[in-house]
Amino acid sequence: MRIAARHRGGWLFSSQIDEARQHQVRINGEWVDVVQMGQGDPLVLVPGLAGGWKLLAPLASQLARHYQVTIPGLRGDRFPMGNSCVSGLSDHAVDLSQLIEQLGLERPSLFGVSFGGAIALELAVEQPHRIGALVVQGVVPKFRTNLGTTIARRVLERFPLPTDNGFLNQFFNLLHGGKPEPGPLTDFVVERCWETDQGVMARRIGHLESFDVSDRLWRIDVPTLVLAGTRDSIVPPSRQRALAAEIAGARYATLEGAGHIAFLSHRVEVAQQVRRFLREVSHTHC
């Protein structure tokens, strides 16, 4: 049986989504989704700018073989207008701290990707006591705006767009680190990203433009791993290597041939790197 192109991505990853346990938690007056998979030591995955927990579900499924994986929603995911009261990345970090407390997670490992990586860094510098280890991918302590992100933000702010808009789809394709081959993975990324309201995407890009923890990295006192795709054109690996160098004792590892969405396209390798790192951290503290 042939599957229509617009449904191929959802069909390919439906098993990971189906196995998730989903409920809602109220954070700062807004209900957000919380998705959990697996059993074991707690590991919190923080989603990126668009796509929500579903974009992380394939990676979560890999990690759930060894950990209790929790993916928190962000304010604005379920109720786009509610996102207007989020003033920046620090608000999302406070939300994350409160959610960890509400769920009774004791110093979980924290893994943030892209926008979620910025949230994770903000929490790690302000409340390092909340977490036991930190993993980030596709993030830097201070983002540099460029023409592409500026145009994307202005377009998202001012023009209602259909979900098959060619301009934004090309922006999403940059996440792969090059022109992707048509297929289920490409379809999945575009479909999931468009599930996030475009106004919310625009505001989050604005939050990244004002994000800066470069003078607070010294506060991070938990074991840290920085993962970078060698073909990441959104956040060059050289800048991610520099981030690792600024965090005391941090490790740096590359994902060969991966772009900005290495957590999805190279999820098996990412899961292996994370498990190896957390296993070494656990043995060190025994």
Side-chain angles (χ1 to χ4, degrees):
M1 178 178 65
R2 298 188 65 183
I3 300 171
R6 66 179 181 277
H7 297 307
R8 286 182 300 183
W11 173 81
L12 181 65
F13 297 111
S14 62
S15 61
Q16 286 89 0
I17 293 174
D18 290 343
E19 70 187 54
R21 305 183 298 276
Q22 184 176 355
H23 57 283
Q24 284 78 42
V25 173
R26 193 170 181 83
I27 297 292
N28 286 317
E30 183 177 331
W31 290 99
V32 299
D33 290 327
V34 174
V35 176
Q36 294 183 302
M37 301 181 187
Q39 301 292 330
D41 292 335
L43 171 61
V44 177
L45 287 180
V46 190
L49 184 143
W53 70 267
K54 291 183 181 178
L55 197 63
L56 283 175
L59 172 62
S61 182
Q62 293 286 328
L63 292 167
R65 298 174 183 178
H66 306 282
Y67 305 99
Q68 180 197 59
V69 179
T70 299
I71 314 176
L74 305 179
R75 274 194 284 165
D77 286 346
R78 300 184 76 235
F79 304 103
M81 293 305 295
N83 187 250
S84 60
C85 63
V86 178
S87 61
L89 269 296
S90 59
D91 285 351
H92 284 300
V94 170
D95 290 350
L96 181 58
S97 175
Q98 291 183 10
L99 184 138
I100 289 172
E101 183 176 6
Q102 283 194 40
L103 296 179
L105 303 177
E106 185 174 353
R107 291 179 58 85
S109 299
L110 186 63
F111 183 2
V113 300
S114 189
F115 184 82
I119 296 172
L121 280 178
E122 181 70 34
L123 180 60
V125 300
E126 291 299 323
Q127 301 186 52
H129 64 280
R130 284 286 187 201
I131 61 177
L134 175 67
V135 182
V136 292
Q137 186 249 305
V139 67
V140 285
K142 181 178 181 179
F143 281 83
R144 298 172 183 169
T145 57
N146 56 41
L147 182 60
T149 56
T150 300
I151 292 175
R153 181 185 176 191
R154 295 293 180 257
V155 169
L156 287 166
E157 286 175 335
R158 301 178 185 184
F159 304 102
L161 300 173
T163 56
D164 61 351
N165 177 265
F167 171 76
L168 264 299
N169 288 351
Q170 285 300 314
F171 180 77
F172 293 147
N173 288 342
L174 288 176
L175 302 175
H176 295 265
K179 185 176 181 180
E181 292 292 329
L185 178 62
T186 305
D187 296 340
F188 180 74
V189 171
V190 171
E191 290 167 10
R192 296 292 79 76
C193 286
W194 274 116
E195 289 178 351
T196 300
D197 181 83
Q198 70 177 74
V200 171
M201 286 191 259
R203 286 192 290 274
R204 289 176 180 172
I205 292 174
H207 294 161
L208 283 175
E209 290 174 353
S210 59
F211 172 72
D212 186 1
V213 295
S214 55
D215 62 346
R216 292 177 285 156
L217 293 174
W218 61 270
R219 298 180 183 176
I220 299 177
D221 64 353
V222 297
T224 301
L225 171 65
V226 178
L227 290 173
T230 60
R231 295 177 59 190
D232 190 337
S233 58
I234 306 295
V235 183
S238 60
R239 296 196 64 208
Q240 298 184 63
R241 180 188 291 274
L243 166 64
E246 291 295 320
I247 300 173
R251 306 180 194 182
Y252 173 77
T254 57
L255 301 158
E256 190 63 36
H260 195 63
I261 55 169
F263 62 88
L264 179 60
S265 63
H266 291 61
R267 58 192 177 278
V268 174
E269 183 179 350
V270 169
Q272 291 172 343
Q273 291 268 19
V274 170
R275 189 184 178 208
R276 185 181 306 119
F277 168 68
L278 294 181
R279 189 168 55 233
E280 292 174 359
V281 167
S282 177
H283 289 166
T284 299
H285 288 85
C286 287

